[in-house]
Amino acid sequence: MELATKYDPSSVERKWYQYWLENGLFKSKPDGREPYTIVIPPPNVTGVLHMGHMLNNTIQDILVRRARMMGKNACWVPGTDHASIATEAKVVAKLASEGIRKSDLTREAFLEHAWDWTHKHGGIILEQLKKLGASCDWDRTCFTMDEKRSESVIKVFVDLYNKNKIYRGVRMVNWDPQALTALSDEEVIYKEQQGKLYYLRYRIEGEDGYAVVATTRPETIMGDTAMCINPNDPKNQHLRGKKVIVPLVNRVVPVIEDDYVDIEFGTGCLKVTPAHDVNDYMLGEKYNLPAIDIFNDNGTISEAGEIYIGMDRFDVRKQIVKDLAAAGLLEKEEDYTNKVGFSERTDIPIEPKLSMQWFLKMEELAKPALDAVMDDTIKFYPAKFKNTYRHWMENIKDWCISRQLWWGHRIPAYYLPEGGYVVAETEDAALQEAREKSGNPDLVISDLRQDEDCLDTWFSSWLWPISVFDGINHPDNEDINYYYPTNDLVTAPEIIFFWVARMIMSGFEYRQKPCFYNVYFTGIVRDKLGRKMSKSLGNSPDPIELMEKYGADGVRMGMLLSSPAGNDLPFDESLCEQGRNFNNKIWNALRLVKGWDVADHIPQPDSAKIAIEWFDARLSAAIEQIDDELNKYRISEALMTAYKLFWDEFSSWYLEMVKPAYQQPIDAVSYHATLAFFEKLTVLLHPFMPFITEEVWQSIAERKSGESIMTVRMPEPDHKNEALVADFEIVKLITAGVRSIRLEHNIPNKEPLMLHVVSGEYNALHNAVITKMCNLEGIERADKDVTAASFIVGTTEYAVPLGGAINVEEEIKKMEDEIRYLEGFLHSVVKKISNEKFVANAKPEVVANERKKQADAESKINILRESISKLK
């Protein structure tokens, strides 16, 4: 197989991905092997690939490919999420650009447009993931609104309703005035805002005085139904039992007393607006206050507000401040910083609003899900997220699951003509139940009105690990029994509550088991300035363009080089360049090895024999280390270990040790050992860099049609030899010492040198390697020649005789500099071991290591002083 001069990622990636698909190498069916399962966090159906997806899916692919190569039946299930709010907003915007308003359409007509949009734009992101090398079982692709998933969602809603865990009621909810829907608490992002604190005057009924209230929201005074003071507040005792008059609307409201009021905030007087503040709502419930909803759904003032009707809430704020000032009812205003809730999807301030919604009771569902994480049945990586999870789960609130949208799973509640409702999976079942409930056998389906709302998107994705295997509709099917519980989940910490916690709850509710055993939290991808990558900032590169420029393997490696679990990833495009350079390094190493002539008749040199023995041991140590790192989900570290193994140990050292002299052949034994090492290295690297490793693996030897590196078993650490690996570190240092002398004295590499062992211990077993790597005439013990340049490795002194080429003054200065450095080092070590507290508290092996450092430094200083005295 002729190897191209340059590695071309684009043609290689297309070729091998198609080959993998054609040979069904990503497919999984239940069999006798141990299963390994990952479900993809489903991206929005109309989304496109961004850097967060790249990181997340690269990590998933590494885990899946590794499991496959460990002999497991690996199944990675792909899919997309219908994303109610985001998709509906896009469809509404598209229709608006065509002059069509949503309100002009029937639900059915709008849904046709939404499905058209989904079919046109849906699935683009999955095609983009293929370019990354994602080894998903594409035949298993799911969509949260496909038939099986939709059936599962409705079945679960009805089941939970029948278990009395779902209820309907008027509650204070987070309202998005742009999306025109309620949001759950988790969909609200709190941001610090610079605003104003307005001090408003409320006249005391029947008196000349005022009570002053400090508020950040003067536009809500039209909804005030009380004023509240703290009974323990001495400065407001004169208001007890009185009534005050709400400014501008002149409504008389009572002054109530409650410990809830913060005496220190503002004046200690609180305006109570039960319809538009969560805490005021609780006070209203407690004291039976009326709730006046002054806002329309779009954030404008309603008729109930009496004034400013039809104006936007923020325009009202500006106007009401002017009007209050004109009426002498604005005492003062101050700059004020507070946290304001914004809609996660539309990024506009939410409005607390009383609304009839559907809720899921969470307390009972949360308990087994909390226990499973706290007792490590489900492990978090990094573990620091356990505390975040625990805090939320211990303070969990009921989940508002209804959304005032059309795109999504419509709530299966049907209202009867004379009042009341029934909940059922199908229209026929609803009609049957309605007839029984009403006692009217003549009811027809057109008499019933289905609830207009749809379910929160997360109400479908919380079932994802079960529903992708159809485990809700058919709880005993072969797939769910084999693949569930899944193994690993890779996700972002921002959706720990939205998704992770809720999936764990659904797993225990519907399978009485965890839905996965390990959760790996990725960091947030940031730019070089530490800013989160986003379209609005224009600081997020296009992943497809990056892959076209650097190759998928290069980008995968670039993403991973700086992404430890749970920590933010400071992405720099130069890392992708480093990834591409590594591809080229692998390719050039293959071309070098495949370019050697092989001779069966020549004997194997001792240097090659020793090198093979050493690299076998070094490879085994690295395999063990990579396995340990991957088992601990230290994925970046595992890649770095493999990278250094190939670049430093294999390319820079091993290949130099075994390569034949210029225009000379290599012996067959060394050549085949080198190819075997190369093959093992590609197998180790394959989960990280699937494309180049397949290309190299296919080039190393002749393969049968359909064969792939993907199914090769991971190598075992079967030739461990720690002593040999340690010895070779000394070989490297000796080689580096000789090479430094060549460099300092401008001695060409082709000119052979002698190496003298002047003092200290020396193991001659590896002479053949040192002789070859340093181009030596020989290595022998000898006293130091005054014309020799010396260096120290450990506590052994070596010298290279240079005849008249040595500059005595320079040599002495170099050694004096080295002594000064060693004396400083020795001082710090002596200081440490003179500290009784350190010696008493440190482990014995740590103290012993410090004493060895002291002895080595003292020995080196003595050797250098002796060498200086000889030169003088």
Side-chain angles (χ1 to χ4, degrees):
M1 186 175 175
E2 187 66 32
L3 293 178
T5 312
K6 280 189 172 179
Y7 178 67
D8 175 21
S10 58
S11 62
V12 166
E13 288 163 11
R14 276 195 305 274
K15 172 179 74 177
W16 291 120
Y17 202 85
Q18 195 54 41
Y19 178 84
W20 294 331
L21 288 174
E22 285 169 2
N23 287 283
L25 292 166
F26 303 156
K27 291 182 181 179
S28 174
K29 285 189 169 63
D31 61 23
R33 290 175 292 166
E34 179 189 342
Y36 175 85
T37 319
I38 284 189
V39 293
I40 202 169
N44 288 0
V45 65
T46 58
V48 290
L49 204 61
H50 59 60
M51 297 304 283
H53 293 132
M54 290 284 284
L55 173 62
N56 186 298
N57 287 284
T58 295
I59 292 166
Q60 288 177 81
D61 195 46
I62 289 165
L63 295 173
V64 168
R65 286 179 182 272
R66 178 181 181 240
R68 209 178 269 124
M69 296 170 86
M70 290 168 74
K72 296 176 184 177
N73 186 353
C75 178
W76 183 11
V77 183
T80 50
D81 188 284
H82 65 278
S84 289
I85 296 176
T87 305
E88 181 148 328
K90 284 182 177 174
V91 176
V92 167
K94 176 190 172 284
L95 290 171
S97 71
E98 297 166 4
I100 304 167
R101 288 183 305 182
K102 179 186 170 185
S103 55
D104 296 336
L105 298 173
T106 63
R107 187 185 194 111
E108 289 67 30
F110 177 81
L111 287 175
E112 274 184 37
H113 285 285
W115 277 112
D116 286 347
W117 175 271
T118 300
H119 291 140
K120 184 178 177 185
H121 298 277
I124 290 173
I125 193 164
L126 298 184
E127 289 305 310
Q128 291 176 321
L129 283 177
K130 292 176 182 178
K131 291 185 184 297
L132 181 67
S135 59
C136 303
D137 184 346
W138 298 108
D139 292 350
R140 291 181 175 273
T141 303
C142 298
F143 175 46
T144 50
M145 268 179 67
D146 65 25
E147 197 175 327
K148 284 180 181 175
R149 265 45 65 181
S150 296
E151 194 183 323
S152 303
V153 169
I154 300 305
K155 195 180 279 287
V156 164
F157 182 94
V158 174
D159 175 64
L160 292 170
Y161 176 79
N162 290 335
K163 289 174 177 171
N164 204 27
K165 289 181 179 176
I166 285 179
Y167 63 93
R168 183 172 182 259
V170 174
R171 296 287 186 279
M172 179 67 68
V173 296
N174 307 295
W175 185 263
D176 183 333
Q178 184 170 312
L180 301 178
T181 182
L183 305 173
S184 67
D185 290 345
E186 292 70 46
E187 291 166 294
V188 178
I189 310 295
Y190 286 90
K191 301 183 195 178
E192 232 172 49
Q193 299 287 296
Q194 300 301 319
K196 297 278 186 187
L197 194 59
Y198 303 94
Y199 288 77
L200 314 184
R201 292 172 175 167
Y202 286 60
R203 289 203 318 274
I204 302 168
E205 189 187 37
E207 295 181 21
D208 290 336
Y210 293 94
V212 177
V213 166
T215 180
T216 57
R217 302 202 62 198
E219 69 275 15
T220 62
I221 63 171
M222 295 87 78
D224 289 0
T225 56
M227 177 181 284
C228 191
I229 60 170
N230 191 313
N232 306 310
D233 184 359
K235 64 182 180 292
N236 285 317
Q237 292 297 308
H238 66 290
L239 294 172
R240 297 181 78 167
K242 296 190 176 170
K243 292 184 176 180
V244 293
I245 300 166
V246 179
L248 302 183
V249 290
N250 297 320
R251 182 183 305 120
V252 178
V253 298
V255 175
I256 61 173
E257 299 172 44
D258 197 279
D259 291 341
Y260 162 73
V261 178
D262 181 357
I263 296 170
E264 303 302 321
F265 178 78
T267 61
C269 294
L270 177 79
K271 66 192 266 323
V272 183
T273 320
H276 298 293
D277 181 275
V278 176
N279 298 310
D280 291 7
Y281 172 68
M282 290 190 284
L283 283 172
E285 292 277 284
K286 187 172 177 181
Y287 295 99
N288 202 24
L289 299 172
I292 303 169
D293 186 351
I294 64 161
F295 288 121
N296 294 314
D297 287 351
N298 63 359
T300 57
I301 303 297
S302 69
E303 301 259 339
E306 299 180 27
I307 50 178
Y308 311 113
I309 296 164
M311 279 179 72
D312 181 77
R313 55 190 171 147
F314 296 118
D315 294 334
V316 174
R317 183 179 298 177
K318 291 175 194 165
Q319 187 58 48
I320 203 168
V321 170
K322 291 177 188 172
D323 294 346
L324 287 163
L329 298 173
L330 178 66
E331 181 149 309
K332 62 175 178 174
E333 53 184 90
E334 296 173 345
D335 289 333
Y336 186 68
T337 303
N338 67 331
K339 288 201 167 176
V340 177
F342 282 73
S343 165
E344 189 226 3
R345 285 289 172 200
T346 59
D347 197 35
I348 68 158
I350 59 105
E351 195 58 60
K353 181 178 169 66
L354 281 175
S355 181
M356 178 67 80
Q357 301 290 342
W358 292 87
F359 295 87
L360 174 59
K361 294 176 185 174
M362 298 298 273
E363 196 174 344
E364 203 179 309
L365 289 168
K367 190 178 183 319
L370 173 59
D371 293 344
V373 170
M374 298 322 290
D375 67 15
D376 283 340
T377 300
I378 295 171
K379 289 190 173 75
F380 281 4
Y381 297 89
K384 66 180 180 183
F385 288 110
K386 279 173 73 171
N387 281 334
T388 313
Y389 179 86
R390 179 181 56 79
H391 179 73
W392 185 73
M393 293 292 270
E394 286 178 350
N395 297 281
I396 200 159
K397 293 177 184 164
D398 288 354
W399 175 11
C400 175
I401 56 173
S402 46
R403 297 290 178 272
Q404 287 61 55
L405 302 165
W406 283 351
W407 175 246
H409 300 103
R410 192 170 179 181
I411 290 175
Y414 299 82
Y415 299 95
L416 280 60
E418 64 276 13
Y421 61 87
V422 294
V423 170
E425 288 180 39
T426 63
E427 286 186 347
D428 288 346
L431 181 59
Q432 183 63 34
E433 216 173 301
R435 284 172 176 167
E436 289 170 15
K437 186 168 184 174
S438 66
N440 180 359
D442 298 325
L443 278 179
V444 291
I445 196 66
S446 57
D447 294 328
L448 304 182
R449 179 180 60 82
Q450 188 175 353
D451 197 302
E452 289 291 320
D453 292 353
C454 73
L455 287 159
D456 180 6
T457 301
W458 298 103
F459 194 83
S460 52
S461 47
W462 81 315
L463 303 172
W464 191 244
I466 305 173
S467 66
V468 295
F469 300 115
D470 204 18
I472 298 292
N473 300 320
H474 300 98
D476 202 30
N477 77 72
E478 185 184 22
D479 273 4
I480 193 77
N481 287 336
Y482 181 74
Y483 292 114
Y484 187 95
T486 69
N487 295 73
D488 297 328
L489 176 76
V490 180
T491 189
E494 338 40 314
I495 56 174
I496 191 169
F497 311 129
F498 282 133
W499 194 45
V500 179
R502 290 170 179 165
M503 280 192 289
I504 296 171
M505 290 183 219
S506 76
F508 283 105
E509 180 68 16
Y510 286 101
R511 300 297 300 177
Q512 294 74 52
K513 289 178 186 174
C515 46
F516 32 69
Y517 290 111
N518 303 290
V519 183
Y520 178 102
F521 291 106
T522 61
I524 294 168
V525 185
R526 297 188 182 275
D527 66 12
K528 284 187 280 189
L529 302 174
R531 300 173 304 173
K532 184 176 178 179
M533 286 191 168
S534 69
K535 278 186 202 167
S536 56
L537 285 174
N539 63 346
S540 182
D542 180 341
I544 300 298
E545 286 176 14
L546 280 178
M547 287 192 279
E548 284 166 0
K549 188 173 179 183
Y550 299 107
D553 288 332
V555 178
R556 285 168 71 116
M557 186 171 169
M559 297 293 293
L560 287 166
L561 281 175
S562 60
S563 60
N567 292 326
D568 289 354
L569 181 145
F571 180 77
D572 186 337
E573 203 170 308
S574 64
L575 295 170
C576 295
E577 196 173 347
Q578 192 178 337
R580 181 179 63 188
N581 293 346
F582 187 40
N583 276 296
N584 293 335
K585 183 80 171 176
I586 294 168
W587 189 249
N588 291 336
L590 178 68
R591 291 185 68 245
L592 172 74
V593 173
K594 295 291 274 186
W596 291 338
D597 288 327
V598 185
D600 291 328
H601 61 280
I602 60 173
Q604 184 183 33
D606 285 347
S607 57
K609 189 177 179 183
I610 296 163
I612 289 163
E613 195 182 335
W614 162 72
F615 191 74
D616 213 2
R618 185 66 194 82
L619 178 63
S620 286
I623 291 166
E624 194 168 63
Q625 187 178 344
I626 290 166
D627 275 347
D628 181 61
E629 286 162 343
L630 286 172
N631 289 339
K632 291 171 180 168
Y633 296 86
R634 291 178 179 163
I635 294 166
S636 297
E637 289 92 328
L639 169 61
M640 190 49 79
T641 302
Y643 171 81
K644 287 178 177 172
L645 177 69
F646 190 96
W647 192 294
D648 297 340
E649 311 290 19
F650 184 68
S651 294
S652 300
W653 288 102
Y654 173 78
L655 291 181
E656 288 298 312
M657 291 176 198
V658 298
K659 80 176 180 185
Y662 182 63
Q663 290 190 334
Q664 296 300 307
I666 188 172
D667 69 282
V669 175
S670 299
Y671 179 71
H672 292 300
T674 302
L675 285 184
F677 287 146
F678 215 133
E679 187 160 332
K680 281 185 178 180
L681 286 166
T682 59
V683 172
L684 267 184
L685 282 164
H686 177 73
F688 305 100
M689 308 173 78
F691 294 108
I692 188 164
T693 49
E694 182 75 80
E695 177 77 1
V696 169
W697 185 84
Q698 297 277 356
S699 307
I700 285 172
E702 199 146 322
R703 312 292 181 188
K704 294 175 192 163
S705 174
E707 273 192 306
S708 168
I709 191 172
M710 276 180 58
T711 54
V712 174
R713 290 299 289 264
M714 273 287 170
E716 298 285 337
D718 43 16
H719 291 98
K720 290 197 296 184
N721 187 335
E722 288 175 15
L724 179 57
V725 170
D727 281 352
F728 251 77
E729 291 309 302
I730 294 167
V731 168
K732 289 180 193 175
L733 291 169
I734 295 168
T735 305
V738 175
R739 286 175 175 176
S740 291
I741 288 169
R742 281 190 185 276
L743 202 63
E744 285 165 16
H745 299 281
N746 296 317
I747 303 166
N749 287 332
K750 63 185 179 184
E751 188 178 314
L753 297 170
M754 276 301 294
L755 179 65
H756 289 168
V757 182
V758 178
S759 64
E761 292 179 6
Y762 176 71
N763 183 347
L765 283 174
H766 310 309
N767 275 8
V769 171
I770 297 168
T771 301
K772 178 175 182 183
M773 295 296 281
C774 300
N775 188 17
L776 300 176
E777 287 175 351
I779 302 170
E780 58 188 31
R781 280 202 174 267
D783 291 334
K784 188 168 178 185
D785 187 329
V786 289
T787 67
S790 66
F791 60 93
I792 298 169
V793 173
T795 55
T796 303
E797 185 181 15
Y798 300 87
V800 176
L802 298 175
I806 188 168
N807 182 320
V808 173
E809 280 181 18
E810 272 183 22
E811 280 300 304
I812 290 172
K813 184 179 180 305
K814 192 173 79 176
M815 287 189 275
E816 284 174 342
D817 287 345
E818 178 73 1
I819 287 171
R820 271 192 292 277
Y821 165 76
L822 287 167
E823 282 174 339
F825 174 74
L826 182 61
H827 176 72
S828 67
V829 174
V830 170
K831 192 176 174 184
K832 191 183 278 188
I833 55 181
S834 303
N835 183 332
E836 289 176 13
K837 199 178 276 186
F838 168 76
V839 175
N841 296 325
K843 290 179 180 175
E845 58 267 29
V846 172
V847 177
N849 190 41
E850 291 300 316
R851 293 199 195 284
K852 185 178 184 304
K853 284 181 190 175
Q854 179 188 5
D856 287 353
E858 287 168 348
S859 173
K860 283 181 181 178
I861 290 167
N862 290 336
I863 291 167
L864 287 164
R865 282 181 177 148
E866 244 178 76
S867 297
I868 289 170
S869 68
K870 283 179 182 173
L871 283 174
K872 284 179 174 176

